[in-house]
Amino acid sequence: MYYIYCNDLERKGFKVVAIPEDDEGLDTELLKAKLTTLGDESAAIRFFYVVTVNNPTCTILSNNRKAELVDIVTRLSSEVGRKIPLFFDNAYHDLVHDSTVEPLASALCYDDLGIVYEIGTLSKILAPGLRIGYLIGSKGPFLNSIIQRTSDIGFSAPLINQEIASYLLDNGIEAQIEKVNNGYQQKAKQVKTWIAELLGDNIQECRGGSAGFYFYLTLANTATGATSDFFKFLTRTTGQEAVDGPLDSQHPKVIYIPGEHCVHPNGDMVEVGKRQLRISYGFEELPQIHTALKLMKSAIGYSQENL
Ligand SMILES: Cc1ncc(COP(=O)(O)O)c(C=O)c1O
């Protein structure tokens, strides 16, 4: 799950029901099973939120799945007699850098009832600091209320940022996206090779590499959480000077997101989440990433010695 958003929703009082994915994105069979289990309670569902290129896994939602999701929520809307909004988070939609992936269709193409909304952002293709995002959907009470609220609180991005973004979108955004994707494509290929070379035996599953800039790894038998030896080794918090280095000049650290933050605490993936992690190849250059993967290999060795 996109942990930042789920956490925000829960602070606002929503109950989140998380559905696992497979290699085509959110698993619609598991979704249907969950709706059956919910029974009459599914009438209380406020909305569906689906990431088209997932964070943390970078798994791409296939067009078939997209169509199926629209179908499921259209049916549920007629059952409960209310249009249930279905949001597609397109944050990484323009960052598919693997040319073998089918072109991604807009979910709006499958929507007869007017329940689909697509959310975009300039954060991933231009700059997060611009704070500019957008929503595309059918006219109606929901869109009106969003427009009203945006007007009430004032648009979050300063006008100067809107002007800058508007200029950049009109002048050269295609070249920028191509450049960004070429860079990510190269990095993804190289990092994937290193993952196989260095961590190969210990990788149970590796997702990502075709879009966005994360790999999501499931280790075969090594815990990754904040109290694990793997984590302590990489953050230099084992308490052993030989591993951490002297206090005033510690050995290099590796920052990753432990799987325990990427699976919902009440969901079905809590156990496997303890052996998962997200690494990003977005910011760091390749030599640094290579060093980090070598350190991860050593961290796995350290965890196993300590078993
Ligand atoms: C899945 C997903 N959605 C949305 C965003 C939001 O980006 P922003 O709030 O910067 O527009 C991010 C950023 O990390 C993301 O990973």
Side-chain angles (χ1 to χ4, degrees):
M1 59 168 198
Y2 175 35
Y3 50 91
I4 297 175
Y5 184 48
C6 285
N7 184 270
D8 179 57
L9 282 174
E10 283 170 340
R11 280 184 277 117
K12 292 190 165 92
F14 286 94
K15 177 178 168 195
V16 173
V17 180
I19 311 291
E21 66 169 29
D22 60 16
D23 56 6
E24 275 192 66
L26 193 144
D27 187 328
T28 35
E29 288 310 311
L30 292 180
L31 172 62
K32 286 191 256 181
K34 187 69 87 175
L35 290 174
T36 308
T37 317
L38 283 176
D40 291 345
E41 262 192 279
S42 52
I45 293 176
R46 307 317 300 170
F47 64 90
F48 289 81
Y49 166 81
V50 183
V51 188
T52 57
V53 173
N54 203 359
N55 181 356
T57 58
C58 281
T59 300
I60 302 169
L61 183 71
S62 71
N63 290 334
N64 273 344
R65 283 289 164 81
K66 224 176 246 182
E68 240 190 298
L69 283 163
V70 177
D71 185 54
I72 292 170
V73 182
T74 301
R75 281 167 201 269
L76 187 66
S77 294
S78 29
E79 270 168 45
V80 303
R82 174 173 59 82
K83 285 186 184 178
I84 306 177
L86 168 55
F87 296 97
F88 288 95
D89 180 339
N90 277 350
Y92 303 86
H93 177 272
D94 294 313
L95 296 184
V96 176
H97 43 71
D98 175 345
S99 54
T100 64
V101 173
E102 61 177 353
L104 301 192
S106 163
L108 293 157
C109 301
Y110 307 116
D111 180 24
D112 295 326
L113 198 58
I115 52 175
V116 167
Y117 298 89
E118 289 188 324
I119 310 168
T121 176
L122 300 191
S123 284
K124 308 294 167 189
I125 53 166
L126 278 178
L130 286 170
R131 304 314 302 143
I132 293 187
Y134 52 90
L135 178 81
I136 306 173
S138 306
K139 286 187 174 156
F142 179 76
L143 213 60
N144 289 343
S145 66
I146 291 285
I147 293 169
Q148 186 61 56
R149 175 157 168 82
T150 308
S151 307
D152 289 346
I153 59 173
F155 189 64
S156 60
L159 279 173
I160 183 74
N161 288 8
Q162 296 182 51
E163 281 300 325
I164 294 169
S166 156
Y167 177 84
L168 293 171
L169 290 176
D170 285 342
N171 293 279
I173 189 67
E174 284 84 9
Q176 158 74 3
I177 292 180
E178 201 184 317
K179 191 171 150 209
V180 166
N181 278 332
N182 285 342
Y184 286 149
Q185 186 186 43
Q186 258 186 336
K187 273 177 144 179
K189 272 193 193 153
Q190 183 59 71
V191 174
K192 196 168 185 157
T193 310
W194 285 334
I195 289 175
E197 251 170 50
L198 291 163
L199 311 178
D201 299 347
N202 297 287
I203 301 284
Q204 185 178 316
E205 199 178 19
C206 171
R207 285 190 189 270
S210 292
F213 38 79
Y214 308 128
F215 278 106
Y216 193 68
L217 309 179
T218 306
L219 301 183
N221 49 21
T222 303
T224 56
T227 56
S228 67
D229 289 324
F230 181 80
F231 184 92
K232 286 184 187 159
F233 181 97
L234 293 172
T235 51
R236 307 302 178 186
T237 52
T238 63
Q240 298 162 28
E241 193 168 327
V243 177
D244 303 342
L247 266 185
D248 55 352
S249 75
Q250 285 196 315
H251 293 152
K253 298 176 186 179
V254 178
I255 306 296
Y256 66 89
I257 311 249
E260 64 189 6
H261 298 300
C262 303
V263 300
H264 196 271
N266 303 326
D268 304 326
M269 295 186 61
V270 173
E271 275 314 307
V272 66
K274 292 177 183 165
R275 289 184 284 112
Q276 296 180 319
L277 69 143
R278 187 195 85 174
I279 52 176
S280 167
Y281 53 90
F283 180 72
E284 288 295 352
E285 296 299 336
L286 283 170
Q288 293 281 80
I289 300 175
H290 194 206
T291 306
L293 288 168
K294 285 191 267 184
L295 289 172
M296 282 190 168
K297 181 184 162 93
S298 308
I300 291 176
Y302 175 78
S303 313
Q304 287 172 354
E305 272 164 33
N306 278 4
L307 275 183

